[in-house]
Each structure stands twice: as structure tokens, then as C-alpha cells.
Amino acid sequence: MSQLVVDAHSVGKVFGKGEGRVEALRDISMQIEAGEFVSLIGPSGCGKSTLLRLVGDLTTPTSGEIEINGKPPRRARLDRDYGIVFQKATLLDWRTVRKNVELPLEIMDVDDRAKIADEMLSLVQLGDFGDHYPWQLSGGMQQRVAIARALTFNPSLLLMDEPFGALDEMTRELMQQEVLRIWHETDTTVVFVTHSIPEAVFLSTRVVVMSPRPGRISDVVETNLPQPRDEDTREAQAYYDKITEVREALRRQEARA
Amino acid sequence: MTVGDQEHKASEIDDVYQTEFVSAFEGDVPAGTRTPSALRHRLRTAGPAIAAFILVLALWEGLTRLFDVKTFVLARPSLILERFILTSDVVWSAGFNTLFEAGIGLVAGTILGVGVAFVTIRWAPVREGLMPFAVAANSVPIIALAPIANGMFSLTSPVSKIAVVTVVVFFPVMINSARGLIEVDEDELELMRSYAAKPREIMWRVRVPHALPYFFSAMKVVAVLSIIAAIIAEYFGGSQDVLGQYILTKASLFVYADAWAGILVASILGVTLYAIVLVAERLIMPWHVSFRASDAT
């Protein structure tokens, strides 16, 4: 059995107290193995982003336990196990693209920063843009810089919170292709939050379907589509079947509600 | 540099000053969406302003001559220029003394303002306790304290004027800097958290660069305000060899053209301080949106 990167046991998260108390997540148990690409999907308010943030130690669970690479999330964060990509690229305006990619390396006091940054920029096919400033790049390019930045320090776990949500459909499909290629080349484990069913199916080895109020896991769909996936995958019958399967899983919870 | 140039700049700065003043005091964020402005573009757009300025001067000169307007109502530009040149020794001596007070107060107020801004970031209770008062104090016309400052410190020493300038400069700098340090995108902070960055690193790599535009926005206001504050403080008494007293004395002796020459010097000083801030801003944050060239890809 391969190594567990994420191991969550009966995790719950409650925001606020008394009247304003909101139960965001209830009884979440989830195991993710090294090298997996797992998407979290569900309607707004199902707590998928909260779950991602719990995994990344950006917030702490109210109940239950999470282990990352066999450690508490906080330890994993201090060990720099996480690369994070948000919906917004969140690049620092005052730094060039290369300097943005170097930022985590500066903080981690790594040598050869410029060399690593250039390698990462080539990986996301922005090798010629190191000296540009973020505002000179398109939204898709900025998001690729954010991905390069998240990968510079070889995190074992890449957390992506609707990273392509603000991009147009064409750019979005290119970026999906890109992220799969990077995933193959780097052997990172990816947890990916999205509310697009095709996106989740196309990218993932496993799709975790969540339902709201309180957020919990209602289904898990193994995609079993052959790797590597490309434009042909998008036209394969198996791909449509899986999309239907995820869609029905989401419908079932509506019926239950 | 001719007087025309200087005065023209003074009037141009006035416009900028008005808008900057409003934005800094009403808590607006710094200019973020200004259209690209290359040097060539600026020269081209300066044309109408120069023409308007010459027109106003010509009208001023022509109408005051035509209707034989008395100097105590409105002095002619040519007379002001003449007195400015003839009295340049005295009026510049007064000007440099005023500049000294304004300059020391400007530096002291800026250092204090930035210092306190850092403290309010580091210790949240200080921020919560202090900021409401600072914002309230900022909407008080602090300049009204000038006569009291003269009582607090020796009337004749420049210290009372420096103190007034310092207080006037302190609040906008402190409030704007603190706001720039605080209002950092939550995602940026979370990214830094995911890198396990220390607070010091977050401060220097994220908060401080983020606060620079806010800081400079305040500096543009207080650079001009420091001269104004110094002159008003001088009106309430003290050394005679300063602009406030010079203008006051000349006006009370009905030598209005000389008083106007004093005002001209005050304008030149204000514009110079403002220009220094502009240059510093460009050198320190060349990446800022307001300096972007138009050839974005």
C-alpha cells in the first residue's frame, strides 16, 4: 500500500457560537495516497474550501484528527509540505515574475533561487517572462506563475482552491492540460477544489462529492480514465459516463435534502 | 528658472494638492487606476495648462491695469515680480527660516508617524485603542493649536513652529501608513503562512511594500501642508525673519506687492518639497501602477 499523504478521521468544523453557530463540516473521513489527484466538488456551502484549508493548516478542526504525511498539519506546514494556489493568482505587484517565484525560496533560505525559479517558469512554459511584472501578464499566465511559485520548494502536497475559477473556458481547458502535465512531471499529490463537474472528472483520479449543511462527504467516484489524459479524453464515452456519475451523485443529495 | 515657470508649477501643484488632500483625508486608497502616463504624453498634456496659465497671468496684468485696480486689492504680476527680485535677499532669508521649521517638522512628524504605525501593527490593542482617536484628531483643524503651541514653547524659538508642523504631519502619515500595513490581501498573508514565514518576513516582504503607496499618498499632502502649517504658526508671533511674519508685516504696512513676493516664495518652497516627494516615490516604488508605461502586453 502506498504512503498516506492525507489521513482525516471524523473531522468536524464549527464556526461561531450560540445563535450564529454554523456547522461547516461534519464527520469527514478521507484518505489520500501519494501521487493521487483528488478533487473536492459540491454546491456552495458544502465546506469544500474549508476542508482544503483544514488540510493546509490555514484553519484548525473543531473535532476529529488530520494527519499529513503522518504529522499534525501544523508540523507539516512548518516542514513546508504544502504548495497552495488560490483562485486569485495573488502575485506581489512589486516583484517581477521571477522574484515572485523566488519568494518562498527566499523565506526558506534556499540557494540558487534564480536557477530554480527559471526551471519552474520553464515548467509552466513562461521561461521568457521572468523579468516581466505581474500586471503585464494575462490572467491565465498569472495563474501559471502562481503554480510555479507553489512548486518551487517541492511540496509533497499541492492544494488548489478553484484555481481556474476566474479564467475563461478556453484558457481553463489549457490550464487543466497544463496542470496534469505538471502533475505527471513532478509526482506531487494534488487536492483540487472545484465546482465544475467536467473539470473534476478530467483532472482527478478520484472525485470526492460533498453535500452542504453541514458539509459532509456524500460519494466518492473513482474516475479510472486512462493516463495521460488529453483532448481525446474529453471526447471519450468513459469521460461522459463519469461526468454523469458525478452529476447523479450531486442530484441524489438534492433529492435527500 | 523664471518666475513664470515657478508660478505655473505652483498652480499645477495646487490642483494635484486638492485631489490628493481629499483622497488622503477621506480614507481613499491611493491612485490605482490611473491611465499610463509616459513623459511624452505628459509634455503633450502640459500644453493646455501652460497656455491657460499664461492667459490667466495676461488677464490679471491687463485687467488690473485697465481698471486701475489698487495694489491693496490685487497687485499686478509685473509688480510682484519686480518686488520679488528687488527684495530677494530679505524674502529668501525669511523663506529659508520657514523652510527650516517646516523641514524639521516634516521629518520629525514622518518618523513619528511611521514609527507609531509600526507599533499599531505589531500590537493590536494599541491599534484598537489609538486609531479612533487618531482618526478623530485628524479631522480636527490641528493648525488651530498654533497659538497654544506658542505658549507651550518659547514664543521666539522655532521650536513652537516645528512642534505645530510635527503634529500636523504626524496624523496623516500615521493613519495612512497604518492602513497600508493593515489592509493586506488575506490570501497574501495565508500564502506567507503556508511558507511558514516569520512575522518579520511578512512585515518586510508583504506589509511594508504594500504600505508604500499609502505612505507616499500622505507624504504628498503633508509636504505642502508643512509649509502652510509653519507659516500659520508664524502668524501668531515669534521671530520676525520668517515668511509668516514677513507677509503679515508687509500687509499691515500696505506694501502688498512685497507680501505677494513672500507668498510667491512660500509657493516655491511648497512645490519644491512636493517635487522631492514625487522623485522619491518614483525611485522607491517604480513598479507602482501610476508609473506604468502604456505598452503593456
Side-chain angles (χ1 to χ4, degrees):
Chain A
M1 183 179 136
S2 27
Q3 189 206 337
L4 276 187
V5 178
V6 178
D7 191 3
H9 275 288
S10 324
V11 170
K13 176 70 182 175
V14 176
F15 292 107
K17 283 183 181 135
E19 287 286 294
R21 185 179 182 277
V22 176
E23 188 176 11
L25 290 173
R26 180 189 289 175
D27 197 25
I28 300 280
S29 292
M30 170 175 84
Q31 279 78 40
I32 298 175
E33 290 175 8
E36 274 197 278
F37 196 126
V38 174
S39 286
L40 309 179
I41 194 168
S44 313
C46 72
K48 52 193 191 293
S49 285
T50 304
L51 179 54
L52 190 85
R53 294 168 55 81
L54 284 172
V55 169
D57 193 43
L58 294 175
T59 183
T60 49
T62 317
S63 57
E65 294 220 358
I66 302 178
E67 282 197 344
I68 306 298
N69 296 323
K71 302 172 282 195
R74 187 181 137 76
R75 185 69 252 161
R77 178 171 63 81
L78 296 179
D79 289 348
R80 280 112 180 198
D81 286 355
Y82 304 115
I84 298 184
V85 180
F86 294 114
Q87 180 170 350
K88 273 193 302 158
T90 320
L91 304 176
L92 302 180
D93 286 342
W94 50 91
R95 285 172 170 254
T96 60
V97 164
R98 185 182 294 104
K99 285 285 174 191
N100 263 291
V101 176
E102 284 181 29
L103 176 69
L105 301 173
E106 278 176 29
I107 289 163
M108 296 167 198
D109 219 2
V110 177
D111 292 331
D112 279 335
R113 292 194 283 269
K115 190 167 151 277
I116 299 172
D118 280 331
E119 280 169 21
M120 286 300 142
L121 284 172
S122 308
L123 181 70
V124 298
Q125 303 185 337
L126 285 177
D128 297 332
F129 289 88
D131 295 320
H132 285 61
Y133 278 90
W135 59 271
Q136 295 173 303
L137 307 185
S138 68
M141 290 160 97
Q142 291 188 13
Q143 202 54 281
R144 279 194 259 170
V145 177
I147 294 169
R149 178 180 57 188
L151 294 171
T152 42
F153 51 97
N154 269 323
S156 56
L157 183 54
L158 184 59
L159 304 176
M160 305 180 91
D161 193 354
E162 295 187 35
F164 310 142
L167 305 179
D168 63 81
E169 192 62 30
M170 299 303 294
T171 313
R172 206 179 163 116
E173 289 194 355
L174 285 173
M175 293 294 290
Q176 291 166 0
Q177 202 69 63
E178 200 82 330
V179 109
L180 279 183
R181 184 177 57 77
I182 291 166
W183 175 58
H184 283 298
E185 285 179 28
T186 56
D187 295 322
T188 326
T189 308
V190 183
V191 183
F192 191 99
V193 168
T194 179
H195 47 227
S196 158
I197 299 170
E199 180 167 88
V201 171
F202 182 71
L203 291 175
S204 318
T205 52
R206 235 175 351 143
V207 179
V208 173
V209 182
M210 297 180 66
S211 62
R213 285 174 294 274
R216 63 228 122 123
I217 295 175
S218 57
D219 279 283
V220 177
V221 176
E222 303 272 350
T223 58
N224 295 323
L225 298 171
Q227 303 281 2
R229 296 174 190 177
D230 50 26
E231 290 312 308
D232 293 339
T233 311
R234 290 190 201 276
E235 285 160 22
Q237 189 55 46
Y239 171 65
Y240 287 116
D241 292 346
K242 285 297 167 184
I243 289 179
T244 308
E245 195 178 333
V246 173
R247 184 173 292 131
E248 281 173 354
L250 284 163
R251 287 236 180 93
R252 269 201 300 280
Q253 35 169 282
E254 267 172 46
R256 255 178 262 151
Chain B
M1 192 190 241
T2 68
V3 177
D5 282 336
Q6 288 157 343
E7 274 225 315
H8 159 246
K9 282 208 172 155
S11 70
E12 185 187 3
I13 293 306
D14 260 344
D15 294 337
V16 179
Y17 171 62
Q18 295 283 340
T19 49
E20 293 286 346
F21 186 88
V22 169
S23 75
F25 280 80
E26 294 190 343
D28 233 347
V29 291
T33 49
R34 221 165 83 189
T35 44
S37 53
L39 184 63
R40 222 168 346 122
H41 177 70
R42 285 207 172 175
L43 288 176
R44 219 178 318 134
T45 51
I50 294 168
F53 175 70
I54 293 171
L55 185 69
V56 167
L57 267 192
L59 275 177
W60 181 354
E61 183 76 28
L63 292 175
T64 44
R65 278 178 187 277
L66 185 66
F67 296 105
D68 195 21
V69 178
K70 299 291 177 235
T71 307
F72 67 82
V73 178
L74 186 61
R76 293 196 309 275
S78 58
L79 184 61
I80 296 170
L81 178 59
E82 189 189 321
R83 296 307 300 166
F84 172 73
I85 294 166
L86 288 178
T87 62
S88 63
D89 280 3
V90 205
V91 75
W92 276 111
S93 161
F96 282 122
N97 286 334
T98 299
L99 179 63
F100 172 78
E101 295 164 0
I104 301 278
L106 184 58
V107 171
T110 303
I111 291 172
L112 279 175
V114 170
V116 173
F118 272 109
V119 171
T120 63
I121 302 312
R122 203 72 187 75
W123 292 280
V126 179
R127 176 170 71 240
E128 281 146 22
L130 201 67
M131 280 312 249
F133 292 104
V135 172
N138 201 17
S139 52
V140 167
I142 294 162
I143 199 68
L145 293 175
I148 295 165
N150 276 342
M152 271 183 212
F153 305 94
S154 157
L155 180 66
T156 48
S157 92
V159 175
S160 58
K161 284 76 183 174
I162 292 170
V164 170
V165 176
T166 305
V167 175
V168 165
V169 168
F170 171 79
F171 285 104
V173 172
M174 195 275 269
I175 291 171
N176 261 33
S177 304
R179 182 173 292 141
L181 290 169
I182 293 170
E183 288 178 2
V184 172
D185 192 299
E186 197 58 39
D187 285 356
E188 286 174 21
L189 296 179
E190 293 200 328
L191 271 181
M192 293 298 277
R193 183 180 155 85
S194 79
Y195 308 146
K198 297 182 186 72
R200 185 171 43 82
E201 288 166 328
I202 296 175
M203 181 64 90
W204 288 106
R205 288 175 209 277
V206 178
R207 291 192 188 275
V208 169
H210 187 263
L212 281 176
Y214 293 76
F215 168 75
F216 277 111
S217 176
M219 287 312 290
K220 282 183 237 171
V221 174
V222 298
V224 181
L225 215 49
S226 67
I227 297 285
I228 298 174
I231 289 176
I232 294 181
E234 289 161 2
Y235 281 159
F236 296 102
S239 160
Q240 292 301 296
D241 190 15
V242 290
L243 278 181
Q245 283 298 319
Y246 185 86
I247 295 165
L248 193 65
T249 311
K250 294 297 179 183
S252 63
L253 295 173
F254 307 110
V255 198
Y256 287 101
D258 283 18
W260 277 99
I263 293 167
L264 179 55
V265 169
S267 313
I268 294 168
L269 294 178
V271 172
T272 308
L273 289 181
Y274 185 87
I276 291 170
V277 173
L278 283 189
V279 171
E281 184 186 33
R282 232 170 212 281
L283 291 177
I284 294 173
M285 40 174 236
W287 45 266
H288 194 249
V289 63
S290 50
F291 304 135
R292 283 171 196 173
S294 49
D295 57 342
T297 49

